[in-house]
């Protein structure tokens, strides 16, 4: 019993002197710009927070993070992205012997630091991006489709379909996991169509804006003007009117335009009815005037006839009187002549 207790005591003493390995994560860079939601292995990441080797950095659907590594390498992580800092081997000359990141999905911008070209490696589901003093954007879709757009320097992309060299500014290649890879050609709106995502390259299309050197690097390869032209050239599709069931007229809401049209129609109908009434009144007035005129004409004709008849009868009476007077004078003269002749005969 004593021996067992002594052995346990000795073991405890030995254990107390053996150093217990503690995982002390070494920071490899820090965040310099954070928008909306960016998170790491320890939770949300804020500006000036360190980032560590083997840490997975994720962004929300509107998130954006900008990071600087110890050798000056700059990495922007756009919305809906996920990336892991897989390898980071730092030397004493403020450069790295190996820096490898694994991009699972999302959109990114890379600017190389002070380390040698061979030190950098970016792994995607469709292949590996080789860096040669370079700035470039790259996108990884949910199905692993990868696009790389060269902004300056030179780069290469190698996958199952072979390797492609990007040497001209704004050159772009698109690769499928385990399959084909396109030849380098200038990035355009057709690139976004081939990726099936209009937001695949937001740093070039203007969907997200970067600050500092990361923001300057994309000049000359912007897709914002091309997308604007594309939207202006697209024909406006007119949807056919939906067939609605017949409903009581009272239940159909009237929009202001239809109310104005109905008011105008009512006003026009009221105006037409008023015009018709005025025309009828004018016609009636004209008819009454014509009747009064005919009555006046008849009265004047009757008066003229009566006056003419009266004047004619007066004239006839005067003529008759004159004739009678003339006849009376003749009989007197005859009687006088006869008396004279008788007197003469008697003498």
């Amino acid at each position: 019993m004593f021996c067992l207790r002594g052995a346990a005591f000795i073991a405890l003493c030995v254990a107390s002197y053996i150093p217990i390995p503690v995982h002390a994560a070494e920071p490899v860079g820090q965040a310099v710009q954070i928008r909306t939601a960016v998170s790491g292995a320890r939770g949300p990441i804020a500006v000036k927070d360190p980032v560590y080797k083997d840490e997975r950095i994720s962004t929300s659907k509107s998130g954006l993070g900008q990071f600087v590594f110890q050798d000056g390498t700059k990495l922007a992580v756009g919305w809906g992205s996920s990336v892991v800092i897989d390898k980071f081997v730092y030397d004493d000359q403020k450069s790295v012997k190996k820096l490898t990141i694994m991009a699972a999905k999302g959109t990114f911008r890379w600017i190389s630091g002070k380390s040698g070209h061979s030190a950098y490696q970016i792994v995607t589901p469709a292949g590996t991006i080789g860096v040669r003093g370079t700035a470039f954007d790259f996108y990884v879709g949910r199905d692993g489709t990868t696009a790389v757009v060269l902004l300056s320097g030179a780069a290469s992309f190698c996958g199952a379909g072979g390797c492609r060299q990007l040497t001209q500014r704004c050159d772009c290649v698109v690769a499928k996991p385990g399959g084909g890879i396109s030849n380098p050609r200038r990035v355009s709106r057709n690139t976004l169509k081939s990726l099936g995502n209009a937001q695949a390259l937001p740093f070039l299309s203007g969907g997200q804006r970067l600050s500092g050197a990361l923001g300057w690097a994309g000049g000359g390869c912007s897709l914002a003007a091309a997308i604007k032209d594309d939207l202006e050239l697209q024909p406006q599709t007119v949807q056919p009117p939906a067939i609605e069931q017949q409903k009581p007229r009272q239940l159909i809401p009237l929009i202001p335009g239809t109310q104005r049209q109905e008011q105008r129609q009512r006003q026009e109908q009221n105006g037409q009815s008023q015009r018709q009434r005025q025309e009828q009144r004018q016609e009636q007035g004209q008819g009454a005037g014509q009747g009064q005129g005919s009555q006046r004409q008849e009265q004047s004709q009757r008066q003229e006839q009566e006056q003419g008849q009266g004047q004619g009868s007066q004239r006839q009476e005067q003529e008759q009187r004159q004739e009678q007077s003339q006849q009376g004078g003749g009989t007197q003269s005859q009687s006088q002549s006869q008396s004279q002749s008788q007197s003469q005969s008697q003498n």
Side-chain angles (χ1 to χ4, degrees):
M1 190 70 177
F2 179 80
C3 294
L4 292 175
R5 290 181 180 178
F9 178 78
I10 294 171
L12 180 61
C13 293
V14 172
S16 64
Y17 286 99
I18 296 175
I20 299 174
V22 179
H23 178 71
E26 181 182 359
V28 296
Q30 72 173 4
V32 294
Q33 183 73 35
I34 298 294
R35 296 179 188 173
T36 312
V38 180
S39 60
R42 293 166 176 78
I45 297 176
V47 175
K48 295 184 179 180
D49 281 354
V51 291
Y52 303 92
K53 180 187 173 202
D54 296 329
E55 184 174 16
R56 179 179 297 275
I57 299 172
S58 300
T59 59
S60 65
K61 292 181 179 180
S62 59
L64 173 63
Q66 295 182 209
F67 303 91
V68 176
F69 294 101
Q70 292 179 358
D71 71 332
T73 297
K74 298 174 179 60
L75 176 67
V77 184
W79 50 34
S81 302
S82 178
V83 62
V84 176
I85 304 171
D86 184 54
K87 293 180 182 180
F88 188 90
V89 181
Y90 192 70
D91 61 14
D92 296 334
Q93 297 180 356
K94 294 184 179 181
S95 63
V96 295
K97 295 180 178 179
K98 194 69 176 178
L99 173 56
T100 303
I101 66 172
M102 299 182 67
K105 65 174 183 176
T107 183
F108 309 88
R109 175 167 291 179
W110 171 280
I111 299 178
S112 299
K114 302 176 182 178
S115 304
H117 302 160
S118 60
Y120 303 116
Q121 192 176 40
I122 300 171
V123 180
T124 74
T128 301
I129 303 173
V131 180
R132 290 184 288 170
T134 314
F136 55 85
D137 284 6
F138 63 101
Y139 164 78
V140 180
R142 292 185 177 275
D143 62 349
T145 301
T146 301
V148 183
V149 181
L150 182 67
L151 304 178
S152 65
S156 64
F157 187 88
C158 295
C163 292
R164 298 290 186 271
Q165 301 297 322
L166 291 87
T167 58
Q168 299 294 325
R169 189 178 187 185
C170 305
D171 273 356
C172 175
V173 294
V174 178
K176 299 285 185 180
I181 179 172
S182 67
N183 291 320
R185 64 184 63 183
R186 185 178 177 86
V187 65
S188 67
R189 55 178 175 265
N190 292 327
T191 306
L192 300 179
K193 291 180 180 179
S194 65
L195 295 172
N197 185 358
Q199 299 179 346
L201 299 167
F203 306 143
L204 295 179
S205 62
Q208 288 188 303
R209 297 185 181 277
L210 301 173
S211 61
L214 284 166
W216 306 332
C221 301
S222 174
L223 291 175
I227 292 174
K228 182 179 179 181
D229 294 340
D230 190 19
L231 293 175
E232 292 177 353
L233 292 174
Q234 285 180 357
Q236 296 181 355
T237 57
V238 180
Q239 296 181 354
I243 299 174
E244 298 181 355
Q245 296 180 355
Q246 293 183 355
K247 298 179 181 180
R249 189 170 183 176
Q250 294 179 354
L251 297 178
I252 298 175
L254 295 175
I255 60 175
T258 57
Q259 290 180 353
R260 292 177 182 173
Q261 290 178 356
E262 290 187 355
Q263 288 178 358
R264 290 177 182 175
Q265 290 177 357
R266 291 175 183 173
Q267 291 175 359
E268 290 177 358
Q269 290 176 358
N270 294 333
Q272 290 178 358
S273 60
Q274 289 178 0
R275 290 176 185 173
Q276 291 177 356
R277 291 175 183 173
Q278 290 177 359
E279 290 177 356
Q280 289 177 358
R281 291 176 182 174
Q282 290 177 359
E283 290 177 356
Q284 291 176 358
Q286 290 177 358
Q290 290 177 357
Q292 292 177 358
S294 60
Q295 289 178 359
R296 291 175 183 174
Q297 289 178 358
E298 290 178 357
Q299 289 177 0
S300 62
Q301 288 176 358
R302 288 176 184 175
Q303 290 176 359
E304 289 176 357
Q305 289 177 359
E306 290 176 356
Q307 290 176 359
Q309 289 177 359
Q311 291 176 358
S313 61
Q314 289 177 0
R315 288 176 184 175
Q316 288 178 359
E317 289 177 357
Q318 289 177 0
E319 289 177 356
Q320 287 177 1
R321 289 176 183 176
Q322 289 176 0
E323 288 178 357
Q324 289 177 0
S325 64
Q326 290 176 359
Q327 288 178 0
T331 54
Q332 290 178 0
S333 61
Q334 287 179 0
S335 62
Q336 290 177 1
S337 62
Q338 286 179 2
S339 65
Q340 290 178 0
S341 63
Q342 287 177 2
S343 66
Q344 289 179 0
S345 64
Q346 289 177 0
N347 297 325

